[in-house]
Amino acid sequence: MIRITFLTACVVAALSLSGCKLVKNTPDDEKAVAADASGDDARTDQRIADTFEPTLLPFVREKALEVPVLRSLLSQGLDAAGQAHGNRGAGQGAAWNFALTGTGTVVSAKLDTRARVADLDTDADGVAELTIQLGPVIRGTALRDFAPFYKFDDFRDQIEFAKLGRALNDRISGAIVLPEGDLIGRTMSFTGVVALKSADEALVVTPISVGVTP
């Protein structure tokens, strides 16, 4: 009886082992990112980590035109200026995007909103020539669209592509620090990107850097 019981236990143990499957315990940072929409945020975070500081910011600074230079180029035609100095966003009718840098006097500012802006006079005529977006809400996708290394075909779909544009704006807005008090009359320097669909369109700058002095 004892022998039979022992043999039965052995058979049960063997059958149990044959039904087991060993599963590797994969660390979270080694797990594959899902190819569907659930992986969008992870891919966006990785793209920003890989490109924002090492590639995007130096690229904008290198390509940035002074305001009078861009104005002169635009007077000769938007497409010609864009082909020589800009990058066009994806899709039919997309804007040309240019890197821009300059300094001016703040002639007006709206700071009681989440979409703060400052209007700058860059040629000392008392009239604002451009608007700087100061966040925390920054509109548009100029930062994304100016960079030729953000290619639409590399994204899952237009939704993931849009998420990158918003994430880049959020990254910039978090880095903008303004001094206390009124901005009007102060000197503001900037480097950023502007999107244009026509040569005479208002210049609204998405900055990568902003500096304010008394």
Side-chain angles (χ1 to χ4, degrees):
M1 178 66 71
I2 295 175
R3 183 179 178 185
I4 292 174
T5 302
F6 176 74
L7 289 174
T8 301
C10 290
V11 170
V12 171
L15 290 174
S16 298
L17 287 173
S18 65
C20 293
K21 182 179 180 181
L22 296 177
V23 178
K24 181 181 178 182
N25 185 15
T26 304
D28 288 342
D29 59 358
E30 293 181 10
K31 292 180 181 178
V33 175
D36 60 15
S38 65
D40 285 358
D41 290 345
R43 284 189 295 273
T44 296
D45 290 345
Q46 190 60 56
R47 283 188 175 103
I48 289 180
D50 291 343
T51 63
F52 183 77
E53 290 190 6
T55 309
L56 179 60
L57 298 187
F59 182 72
V60 174
R61 294 187 187 105
E62 177 188 352
K63 299 294 184 179
L65 303 169
E66 296 285 346
V67 177
V69 174
L70 178 59
R71 288 292 192 191
S72 177
L73 290 168
L74 291 175
S75 69
Q76 301 171 42
L78 175 60
D79 287 341
Q83 289 164 7
H85 299 278
N87 192 59
R88 201 164 208 168
Q92 186 174 6
W96 282 106
N97 300 274
F98 300 87
L100 193 64
T101 189
T103 301
T105 301
V106 179
V107 295
S108 63
K110 186 171 180 59
L111 304 179
D112 59 347
T113 172
R114 287 183 53 78
R116 299 177 301 175
V117 295
D119 298 319
L120 298 192
D121 169 19
T122 61
D123 60 5
D125 65 353
V127 178
E129 284 79 43
L130 54 86
T131 298
I132 309 293
Q133 299 196 79
L134 300 172
V137 174
I138 292 179
R139 297 187 172 94
T141 56
L143 276 178
R144 182 199 68 190
D145 295 342
F146 179 66
F149 40 83
Y150 296 139
K151 299 177 181 178
F152 178 77
D153 291 343
D154 294 338
F155 293 76
R156 181 181 59 80
D157 59 13
Q158 68 271 21
I159 296 175
E160 185 184 22
F161 196 48
K163 287 179 178 178
L164 177 66
R166 290 193 296 271
L168 289 170
N169 289 351
D170 290 344
R171 180 68 178 267
I172 284 297
S173 68
I176 296 175
V177 178
L178 298 178
E180 296 290 335
D182 197 354
L183 292 179
I184 296 176
R186 296 191 180 190
T187 299
M188 178 176 289
S189 59
F190 71 90
T191 298
V193 181
V194 60
L196 296 173
K197 289 188 175 182
S198 65
D200 57 356
E201 186 176 352
L203 300 179
V204 179
V205 180
T206 299
I208 63 167
S209 63
V210 172
V212 179
T213 56

